[in-house]
Amino acid sequence: METTFRITNNIRNQFLYFLEKYTLEQLNLMPQGFSNNIIWNIGHCIATQQSLIYKLSGLPMHVSDTFIDTYRNGTFPTCTTTQEEVDYIKSILFSTTEKIQEDFEKNIFITFHEYTTKSTGFTIQNARQAVEFNNFHEGLHLGIILQIRKFL
């Protein structure tokens, strides 16, 4: 799992770069042909990570239901994200992954509700697979962010 978490942290460092180097307006810009923006993609990755790993394990998530509802699969930006929300996302970018690592070390992931992803048809059977699939998912969204930045 060490390599898996190193990959997660590498992706999150890429997200941090955008949060620190891009303006609020750039983070919120939704170029023509896109259904989301940079900040939504980052928030979506955090929400998805929590849902895949904790919710499917029957454990409490470490973000609010409101956060999940804002960034879950099938949503899109409906308003301009505030600086306060960007700061919140930045504050949980790494704490959420650190908590998952701690919880894996504590072996708290006992049960898991098998889930087949809508986007890829991949079936996740346990929390370890959820962490591994999440890296794939975040890599996809990093690619979308890299596409969006070409329009800034």
Side-chain angles (χ1 to χ4, degrees), residues 113-129:
H113 177 73
E114 188 174 285
Y115 175 73
T116 301
T117 66
K118 294 173 187 161
S119 60
T120 65
F122 183 80
T123 300
I124 303 168
Q125 300 171 321
N126 56 54
R128 182 185 186 111
Q129 289 177 6

Side-chain angles (χ1 to χ4, degrees), residues 42-99:
I42 296 171
H44 170 72
C45 286
I46 295 169
T48 300
Q49 178 197 54
Q50 290 293 298
S51 297
L52 287 176
I53 298 164
Y54 286 100
K55 187 174 184 180
L56 291 176
S57 294
L59 298 168
M61 295 182 286
H62 298 281
V63 297
S64 70
D65 289 340
T66 302
F67 186 87
I68 297 293
D69 288 343
T70 301
Y71 295 104
R72 69 178 163 71
N73 192 34
T75 66
F76 53 90
T78 57
C79 60
T80 300
T81 302
T82 65
Q83 186 62 52
E84 181 179 58
E85 182 75 3
V86 171
D87 292 343
Y88 174 71
I89 288 170
K90 187 176 173 182
S91 76
I92 64 171
L93 192 60
F94 292 99
S95 64
T96 49
T97 60
E98 290 165 2
K99 181 66 174 151

Side-chain angles (χ1 to χ4, degrees), residues 2-150:
E2 179 184 337
T3 300
T4 302
F5 288 122
R6 283 182 43 228
I7 293 168
T8 303
N9 285 327
N10 184 275
I11 295 168
R12 295 292 175 102
N13 275 315
Q14 298 297 314
F15 292 161
L16 180 62
Y17 172 83
F18 287 98
L19 294 174
E20 290 183 337
K21 302 297 182 189
Y22 284 64
T23 67
L24 184 60
E25 292 74 27
Q26 289 172 314
L27 293 173
N28 276 291
L29 179 72
M30 192 167 15
Q32 186 174 2
F34 288 83
S35 60
N36 50 50
N37 52 34
I38 292 173
I39 193 61
W40 181 90
N41 277 280
I42 296 171
H44 170 72
C45 286
I46 295 169
T48 300
Q49 178 197 54
Q50 290 293 298
S51 297
L52 287 176
I53 298 164
Y54 286 100
K55 187 174 184 180
L56 291 176
S57 294
L59 298 168
M61 295 182 286
H62 298 281
V63 297
S64 70
D65 289 340
T66 302
F67 186 87
I68 297 293
D69 288 343
T70 301
Y71 295 104
R72 69 178 163 71
N73 192 34
T75 66
F76 53 90
T78 57
C79 60
T80 300
T81 302
T82 65
Q83 186 62 52
E84 181 179 58
E85 182 75 3
V86 171
D87 292 343
Y88 174 71
I89 288 170
K90 187 176 173 182
S91 76
I92 64 171
L93 192 60
F94 292 99
S95 64
T96 49
T97 60
E98 290 165 2
K99 181 66 174 151
I100 291 167
Q101 284 181 268
E102 289 172 14
D103 288 344
F104 262 92
E105 290 170 10
K106 294 176 186 175
N107 293 313
I108 72 161
F109 299 103
I110 307 299
T111 62
F112 192 85
H113 177 73
E114 188 174 285
Y115 175 73
T116 301
T117 66
K118 294 173 187 161
S119 60
T120 65
F122 183 80
T123 300
I124 303 168
Q125 300 171 321
N126 56 54
R128 182 185 186 111
Q129 289 177 6
V131 174
E132 292 168 349
F133 179 84
N134 186 69
N135 281 344
F136 166 76
H137 176 260
E138 291 194 13
L140 290 174
H141 284 277
L142 177 59
I144 294 167
I145 290 169
L146 294 173
Q147 289 177 332
I148 291 172
R149 81 171 177 181
K150 293 178 183 178

